[in-house]
Amino acid sequence: MNVVETLTARNADFAAARFTPGLRLMPSLKTIVIGCVDPRVDPSEVLEAKAGEIATLRNIGGRVTPELLMELAMLRQVTQAFGGDIGPGWEFIVLHHTDCGITRLEGQPEVLSDFFGVDEKALDEQHVSDPRAAVTHDVATLRSDIRLAGVRVSGLVYDVTSGTVETVVAP
């Protein structure tokens, strides 16, 4: 059985036994988690979120980049098109983790500066090798974006060796 066959067979089991009909488009906890694509750090798994409770956006490192900010602004517009809004009463959680693959790119400033949309001289401000400092920086970036005014923002760091989450920046 190839990968697609394996996964579609699992989907059949999901649809038959665990599918939750009637979920709403907006997450019930009014929460968006920004996390890393690393398969060890699936936000729904790590935070034990139930189906429909949170929305997740994942990229390399779970970082707040210019592209992610544009995506969040677009999500706000989509929400407004449905008669709602991402603003007061909503939460963004930035979830970084230890042993992140992005740290292996520290010797490639041209790649990192392009990803973050900054000059190579400003890369130190991104704190690529320190997840706690990086999550603090990214929370500050979200909090300062006027397009996202009113959203509560916090920052967590997940330890891939212990499975625990530490609150680095409280909401």
Side-chain angles (χ1 to χ4, degrees):
M1 197 180 264
N2 67 37
V3 173
V4 172
E5 292 168 336
T6 299
L7 295 176
T8 55
R10 289 179 187 172
N11 172 259
D13 291 340
F14 164 79
R18 294 180 313 285
F19 173 68
T20 306
L23 290 176
R24 298 173 41 115
L25 179 64
M26 295 297 118
S28 63
L29 293 179
K30 292 186 174 184
T31 300
I32 298 173
V33 179
I34 300 155
C36 185
V37 296
D38 187 322
R40 300 172 296 173
V41 192
D42 181 333
S44 293
E45 285 285 317
V46 169
L47 302 173
E48 289 197 354
K50 294 177 177 71
E53 286 185 327
I54 65 172
T56 58
L57 294 174
R58 297 174 75 179
N59 67 14
I60 297 168
R63 298 306 306 266
V64 176
T65 63
E67 288 78 13
L68 184 111
L69 289 170
M70 288 180 359
E71 191 169 357
L72 287 169
M74 180 69 154
L75 275 172
R76 187 171 196 184
Q77 290 180 341
V78 169
T79 304
Q80 290 169 343
F82 276 89
D85 195 11
I86 295 176
W90 278 76
E91 305 255 351
F92 291 165
I93 299 172
V94 180
L95 177 63
H96 290 191
H97 66 94
T98 59
D99 190 37
C100 186
I102 200 170
T103 62
R104 275 58 165 208
L105 298 177
E106 284 187 291
Q108 299 179 46
E110 66 286 352
V111 173
L112 290 172
S113 65
D114 188 46
F115 178 68
F116 288 111
V118 298
D119 186 85
E120 287 183 26
K121 294 174 185 160
L123 275 177
D124 286 348
E125 297 169 14
Q126 300 301 322
H127 307 285
V128 173
S129 63
D130 182 348
R132 286 160 187 81
V135 84
T136 300
H137 175 272
D138 286 356
V139 166
T141 300
L142 284 170
R143 286 178 175 172
S144 69
D145 193 305
I146 60 169
R147 297 171 293 182
L148 306 170
V151 175
R152 287 174 27 132
V153 185
S154 59
L156 309 176
V157 173
Y158 174 71
D159 186 322
V160 298
T161 60
S162 70
T164 59
V165 170
E166 170 191 356
T167 302
V168 175
V169 181

